[in-house]
Amino acid sequence: MTDDNCIFCKIAGGVIPSTTLYEDEDFRVILDLGPASRGHALILPKQHFADVCALDGDIAAKVLPLGAKIGSAMKKSLGCAGFNLVQNNGEAAGQTVFHFHMHVIPRYEGGPAMVSWTPGKASPEELAEVADKIKGCL
Ligand code: 5GP
Ligand code: ZN
């Protein structure tokens, strides 16, 4: 199912042109228009799912292998030393387009820091309390 008001549905379906790296019956992989690094790509399912919580199980099972395939090709072709697979869910997490997508971000030796955070501190009691809360909703 697609959403007529969704730009990624239009891109994934080929209605809006994009720089496409890969396409099959379930996915289109495109270059990001605002790349975090050279080669930054987006894996778009052709069906509309708002985020990972809405994602179909069969499609979900194919996303990580596809991320590995694209990332491996980036290492061979672009000479990046590694890559990040990043997937944002919800505005608070940085999601700006509400059609599930996974970023594949090539990382180069000596490149800028990104996808990182400053480790905080938590007591064993706090960890246990947080764990109990989450486990209560699984
Ligand atoms: P999010 O912040 O939702 O995880 O990521 C959305 C990404 O989509 C951003 O990196 C942004 O640069 C990219 N983007 C937004 N609109 C377009 C577009 O029309 N074409 C392409 N290729 N990328 C887009
Ligand atoms: Zn969509």
Side-chain angles (χ1 to χ4, degrees):
M1 212 184 338
T2 57
D3 177 340
D4 288 347
N5 296 314
C6 172
I7 186 160
F8 279 5
C9 279
K10 291 185 180 133
I11 292 173
V15 176
I16 294 178
S18 62
T19 307
T20 295
L21 304 179
Y22 173 87
E23 184 180 6
D24 64 22
E25 61 176 333
D26 296 314
F27 297 97
R28 182 185 294 271
V29 183
I30 65 171
L31 286 183
D32 196 298
L33 273 187
S37 68
R38 184 166 181 260
H40 181 170
L42 300 172
I43 298 175
L44 311 180
K46 290 187 172 177
Q47 292 179 67
H48 182 86
F49 306 102
D51 61 19
V52 75
C53 300
L55 196 58
D56 172 84
D58 288 341
I59 299 297
K62 293 175 179 173
V63 171
L64 273 184
L66 184 51
K69 180 185 177 85
I70 300 295
S72 298
M74 287 169 168
K75 285 173 74 174
K76 284 188 204 144
S77 60
L78 301 177
C80 57
F83 60 93
N84 293 110
L85 297 177
V86 179
Q87 201 276 307
N88 300 325
N89 297 282
E91 210 174 323
Q95 186 176 9
T96 58
V97 181
F98 293 85
H99 173 124
F100 173 94
H101 51 281
M102 182 168 280
H103 298 258
V104 188
I105 306 177
R107 299 297 298 272
Y108 299 90
E109 291 291 359
M114 58 177 92
V115 198
S116 60
W117 57 86
T118 306
K121 284 193 164 62
S123 65
E125 295 76 21
E126 192 180 345
L127 294 177
E129 184 200 329
V130 172
D132 280 346
K133 283 197 168 185
I134 298 170
K135 287 193 277 186
C137 291
L138 289 177

